[in-house]
Amino acid sequence: DQQVKQNSPSLSVQEGRISILNCDYTNSMFDYFLWYKKYPAEGPTFLISISSIKDKNEDGRFTVFLNKSAKHLSLHIVPSQPGDSAVYFCAASEGPWRGSGTYKYIFGTGTRLKVLA
Amino acid sequence: SAVISQKPSRDICQRGTSLTIQCQVDSQVTMMFWYRQQPGQSLTLIATANQGSEATYESGFVIDKFPISRPNLTFSTLTVSNMSPEDSSIYLCSASGDYYEQYFGPGTRLTVT
C-alpha cells in the first residue's frame, strides 16, 4: 500500500513559468514533509520542508503548500529554470521515532520535471 | 547541513558475492539510514542505524542479507550479501539534519551479473 503518492510521473513546463508538483498521502498521522530533487547518478538533494503546524513554507523560488484536511501537499517552483529539470520526490513522516528525535520517512514515487528552454 | 560521502560510487559484482558500502558523514549524527532505489522505483528504507546498537530493519529486509555496522557517530557500512541480479539498485545512506530534514549521500550504483 503506497502511503505517499505522486500521481503525475512526469511534467513539462516552459522556462520562466510556474511548476507545480503534487503529492498525496493516506496516513493522517504524517506531520512532517520534505521535498527532494534528484539528478541522474546523484543522491537526492534536500529542497524544502514543512510541518503540519504550517500550511506554507517558502525558500527562494520554492514554496511548499500543505492541505492537511485533504492530505495533499504541493511544491511550486517560480520561475522554472532548465536546471530544475530533475526527478522530484516528496517524503512524509509521522514524527520522532521511538522518542529518539529521529524521523523516518516514506517517499513518494517521484515526478520527472522537464523545463523547456 | 550534513555532507555525506559514499564508497564505492558504483560496482559490478557477480552473483553470490558480497559488497560492503561505506558511508561517511562530516559531523556527528545520532541516526543514519540506508535506502534502496530499484530501477524506476522510489526510495525504500532498508534500516536505521544507531551508534552502539543493532540496526533496526524495515519489513522485508533482514540482517543476514543486509548486515549493517555503525562503529561511531560519523560512519556506517551496509553489506549486500550473497547478491543476485534482483539486488541491482542504487543504495543510499542518509543522516538527520538539525531539525527534521535528512541529507543523502551520492549513492552507490550496484549491478549484479
Side-chain angles (χ1 to χ4, degrees):
Chain A
D1 178 34
Q2 188 72 26
Q3 294 188 63
V4 182
K5 300 178 185 179
Q6 294 174 257
N7 291 318
S8 299
S10 64
L11 174 68
S12 292
V13 171
Q14 207 68 34
E15 181 180 6
R17 306 295 291 266
I18 183 171
S19 294
I20 300 176
L21 298 110
N22 294 304
C23 179
D24 296 291
Y25 59 96
T26 57
N27 186 348
S28 60
M29 300 297 290
F30 287 149
D31 280 331
Y32 300 88
F33 304 89
L34 308 176
W35 280 96
Y36 288 88
K37 173 174 69 176
K38 187 179 184 301
Y39 294 120
E42 293 185 14
T45 301
F46 169 71
L47 285 175
I48 193 168
S49 62
I50 192 166
S51 70
S52 60
I53 62 173
K54 301 174 77 172
D55 56 16
K56 177 182 174 182
N57 190 25
E58 288 182 79
D59 186 357
R61 296 186 297 115
F62 301 93
T63 302
V64 55
F65 295 92
L66 175 62
N67 183 333
K68 204 160 161 56
S69 61
K71 298 192 187 69
H72 176 84
L73 66 157
S74 60
L75 175 69
H76 293 210
I77 307 173
V78 183
S80 301
Q81 300 172 354
D84 296 329
S85 298
V87 177
Y88 289 78
F89 291 96
C90 63
S93 172
E94 292 186 16
W97 177 58
R98 294 183 180 178
S100 67
T102 297
Y103 298 74
K104 292 172 64 174
Y105 284 91
I106 295 175
F107 280 75
T109 48
T111 296
R112 182 178 302 276
L113 173 65
K114 186 171 184 179
V115 180
L116 307 170
Chain B
S1 65
V3 177
I4 301 173
S5 59
Q6 283 184 238
K7 289 195 295 188
S9 59
R10 60 176 60 229
D11 208 339
I12 301 174
C13 300
Q14 288 196 336
R15 180 195 301 258
T17 62
S18 298
L19 176 72
T20 295
I21 303 167
Q22 299 179 10
C23 180
Q24 180 76 51
V25 187
D26 70 341
S27 59
Q28 294 185 342
V29 293
T30 305
M31 291 289 191
M32 295 177 71
F33 305 87
W34 286 98
Y35 288 82
R36 178 174 75 180
Q37 185 185 21
Q38 294 180 302
Q41 304 293 315
S42 184
L43 283 72
T44 301
L45 181 63
I46 296 172
T48 303
N50 189 7
Q51 191 264 337
S53 62
E54 281 199 6
T56 302
Y57 290 83
E58 298 299 303
S59 176
F61 298 96
V62 294
I63 187 170
D64 290 346
K65 176 68 175 176
F66 298 102
I68 289 171
S69 77
R70 181 78 201 276
N72 58 52
L73 291 173
T74 63
F75 187 78
S76 179
T77 67
L78 169 76
T79 299
V80 186
S81 303
N82 188 24
M83 287 184 284
S84 66
E86 292 70 35
D87 294 320
S88 297
S89 294
I90 299 173
Y91 291 85
L92 296 144
C93 71
S94 74
S96 298
D98 292 335
Y99 300 104
Y100 53 89
E101 68 275 16
Q102 278 187 21
Y103 297 93
F104 282 84
T108 296
R109 183 177 295 269
L110 171 62
T111 302
V112 183
T113 61

